[in-house]
């Protein structure tokens, strides 16, 4: 069989898919340029590394690696149940929260259904939509954020799902409690609202609210969270969904039986208890956000105010050449032209030293271009 004909066997959505482009791995840039010192601020990872309690839990779990993991994730769900004051039957665990997004697509979407998401929203929404052949509808953003009214107006009888990232990646924009609540109230019951809260822990205290309480009011609603960002476990792949018992039952039918490995389960459970590490993480993030935005303002650059652990800066010129020049200096950031933001770079907030290394490199690059 030729390549051509194999391609034609794929479902049309997959034929048109552009694979997700992750941040460049440090080892790849090392291979390419032979640089010793590399700073990666490209994937919204925790710059402190994993927390000490997570590492200790992994060491404890190592001797049991010959066994299959607990496919029900009993202990982690128990811990999450206590944390969120919710029944374990309302929790589904995923191999990263990305897997929950994919499970939702596989559970509810068919080629006859439509999915609504915002322009500049997380790239995985169109990806999981197209992968199952459903129709994605991207709604133009308002000041880089979700236009909730526009999204509501786009709902038809065929709409089955709407994805909302709060805060959104890569813009960092944040929707307040009241606007989201009135959106949920207006959303027809045949549409499932997926509220992706991957950056929940970073939202400042004055603005933050407990979206979990909406689960009691809205059956067509699911919240996704992750251990990849504030909890520093991106490499282990653990996320979860909170929803109604009925929703979780459906997702569990589609879920692979052992989707979370045993080290990931143990580490996530321990990380949930490590409040010292979480506080340190939030501190580093607050300071880094100040440091970066002050540097941007010194460089006469504007940025999108961000509620997350990253910030997208407007270079007022095509960003890709600046991205490439930064790579040569050993700094990996994220170009976001694929998000229709060709003049922006998204910078994940690192340690003070990493941020400074980036700021110095950026200042030099901007002087040279
Ligand atoms: C990083 C991110 C995720 C988390 O992905 P994981 O699969 O949990 O690592 C989910 N949603 C958004 C918007 C993100 O930026």
């Amino acid at each position: 069989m030729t390549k051509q004909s194999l391609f034609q066997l794929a479902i049309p959505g997959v034929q048109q898919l552009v694979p997700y482009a992750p941040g460049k791995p440090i080892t790849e840039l090392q291979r390419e340029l032979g640089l010793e010192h590399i700073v990666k601020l490209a994937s919204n990872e925790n710059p402190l590394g994993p927390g000490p309690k997570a590492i200790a839990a992994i060491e404890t779990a190592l001797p049991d690696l010959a066994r299959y993991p607990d496919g029900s994730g009993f202990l982690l769900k128990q811990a999450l149940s206590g944390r969120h004051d919710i029944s374990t039957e309302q929790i589904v665990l995923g191999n990263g929260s990305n897997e929950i997004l994919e499970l939702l697509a596989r559970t509810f979407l068919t080629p006859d259904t439509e999915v609504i998401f915002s322009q500049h929203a997380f790239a995985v929404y169109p990806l999981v939509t197209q992968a199952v052949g459903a129709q994605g509808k991207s709604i133009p953003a308002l000041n880089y954020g979700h236009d909730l009214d526009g999204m509501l107006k786009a709902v038809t009888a065929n709409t089955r799902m709407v994805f909302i990232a709060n805060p959104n990646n890569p813009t960092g924009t944040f929707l307040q409690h009241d606007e989201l609540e009135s959106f949920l109230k207006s959303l027809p019951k045949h549409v499932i609202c997926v509220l992706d809260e991957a950056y929940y822990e970073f939202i400042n205290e004055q603005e933050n609210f407990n979206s979990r309480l909406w689960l009691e009011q809205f059956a067509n609603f699911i919240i996704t969270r992750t251990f990849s960002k504030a909890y520093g476990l991106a490499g282990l792949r653990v996320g979860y969904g909170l929803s109604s018992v009925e929703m979780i039952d459906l997702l569990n039918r589609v879920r692979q039986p052992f989707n979370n490995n045993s080290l990931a389960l143990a580490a996530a459970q321990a990380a949930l208890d490590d409040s010292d590490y979480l506080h340190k993480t939030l501190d580093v993030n607050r300071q880094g956000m100040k440091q970066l935005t002050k540097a941007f303002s010194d460089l006469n650059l504007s940025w999108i105010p961000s509620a997350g652990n990253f910030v997208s800066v407007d270079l007022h010129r095509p960003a890709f050449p600046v991205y490439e020049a930064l790579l040569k200096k050993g700094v990996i950031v994220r170009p976001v032209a694929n998000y229709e933001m060709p003049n922006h770079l998204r910078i994940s907030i690192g340690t003070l030293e990493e941020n400074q290394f980036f700021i110095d490199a950026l200042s030099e690059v901007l002087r040279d271009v």
Side-chain angles (χ1 to χ4, degrees), residues 43-44 95-99 101 122 125 165 167-169 196 198-199 225-229 234 237-239:
S43 300
N44 303 344
N95 196 260
S97 57
N98 275 315
E99 192 196 14
L101 305 178
F122 190 40
Y125 311 147
N168 182 43
N169 168 23
D196 178 346
Y199 301 96
R225 300 266 182 95
T226 183
F227 284 91
S228 298
K229 308 285 159 61
R237 317 302 304 124
V238 198

Side-chain angles (χ1 to χ4, degrees), residues 18-96:
V18 180
Y20 180 81
K24 189 187 263 296
I26 291 176
T27 47
E28 188 178 306
L29 188 62
Q30 270 165 344
R31 276 197 301 275
E32 286 171 3
L33 296 182
L35 294 172
E36 294 236 323
H37 185 59
I38 290 178
V39 165
K40 183 188 178 206
L41 302 174
S43 300
N44 303 344
E45 295 146 339
N46 191 320
L48 300 180
K53 289 197 179 179
I55 292 176
I58 288 174
E59 279 164 1
T60 307
L62 282 175
D64 288 327
L65 278 187
R67 303 275 175 208
Y68 275 99
D70 172 9
S72 74
F74 179 83
L75 292 172
L76 177 56
K77 283 206 280 196
Q78 199 77 19
L80 287 168
S81 156
R83 169 60 52 97
H84 296 300
D85 190 20
I86 197 174
S87 139
T88 53
E89 289 171 53
Q90 291 181 265
I91 304 171
V92 62
L93 301 178
N95 196 260

Side-chain angles (χ1 to χ4, degrees), residues 263-281:
L263 302 185
L265 289 170
Q269 188 194 339
L272 205 55
D273 254 348
D274 201 343
S275 54
D276 280 355
Y277 170 81
L278 185 63
H279 285 133
K280 217 189 268 177
T281 295

